[in-house]
Amino acid sequence: MNHTSQAFITSAGGGQPPNYERIKEEYEVAELGAPHGSTSVRTVINMPREVSVPDHVVWSLFNTLFMNFCCLGFIAYAYSVKSRDRKMVGDVTGAQAYASTAKCLNISSLVLSILMVVVTIVVVVIIALNAGRV
């Protein structure tokens, strides 16, 4: 803290406005342990080129073709295609948002379709049992 206050007083004493960027850089250099004489700090962050974002296109297509309960499979397919488009453009955040929506719609479509099949089987069995009694 004493180091930054000295730099502020030194630059203010010369009649010029204080150089806040220089003070910030010197503080960062002191934190990193580099020599005090260097004035620039370079930070390199290695980012992976391809971030894996599942777009659920195949699952959405399956729900669209076979178990399209209230068109949820088709809507999920539309969101999956949007997710793939965002991924191709490089917008990872947008791709993740669309993929998440497609996943929720696919789960909803799958659960509702399975419930519909189970209810249909139960109703057919009940009708068949009642028809056998008459």
Side-chain angles (χ1 to χ4, degrees), residues 7-46:
F8 180 77
I9 293 170
T10 304
S11 61
Q16 298 176 356
N19 187 357
Y20 293 110
E21 290 294 322
R22 183 171 176 221
I23 293 170
K24 182 180 177 186
E25 288 177 357
E26 286 179 359
Y27 180 69
E28 289 177 358
V29 169
E31 271 189 13
L32 294 175
H36 291 292
S38 71
T39 58
S40 66
V41 175
R42 178 175 278 186
T43 304
V44 178
I45 300 173
N46 293 325

Side-chain angles (χ1 to χ4, degrees), residues 65-116:
L65 295 176
F66 296 110
M67 308 164 97
N68 198 10
F69 184 79
C70 293
C71 294
L72 287 177
F74 180 72
I75 297 169
Y77 184 72
Y79 275 97
S80 297
V81 170
K82 285 182 180 183
S83 173
R84 183 168 281 185
D85 290 344
R86 291 285 94 201
K87 188 167 58 171
M88 291 299 151
V89 171
D91 181 16
V92 177
T93 306
Q96 288 173 343
Y98 283 125
S100 175
T101 304
K103 182 180 178 181
C104 291
L105 289 170
N106 280 323
I107 291 171
S108 301
S109 176
L110 183 66
V111 168
L112 292 174
S113 296
I114 289 173
L115 285 175
M116 187 175 67

Side-chain angles (χ1 to χ4, degrees), residues 121-131:
I121 291 172
V122 168
V123 167
V124 167
V125 167
I126 291 174
I127 291 173
L129 290 176
N130 286 338

Side-chain angles (χ1 to χ4, degrees), residues 38-66:
S38 71
T39 58
S40 66
V41 175
R42 178 175 278 186
T43 304
V44 178
I45 300 173
N46 293 325
M47 299 284 294
R49 289 216 175 245
E50 294 244 356
V51 178
S52 177
V53 177
D55 49 18
H56 309 293
V57 171
V58 176
W59 188 12
S60 300
L61 188 62
F62 176 78
N63 282 338
T64 300
L65 295 176
F66 296 110

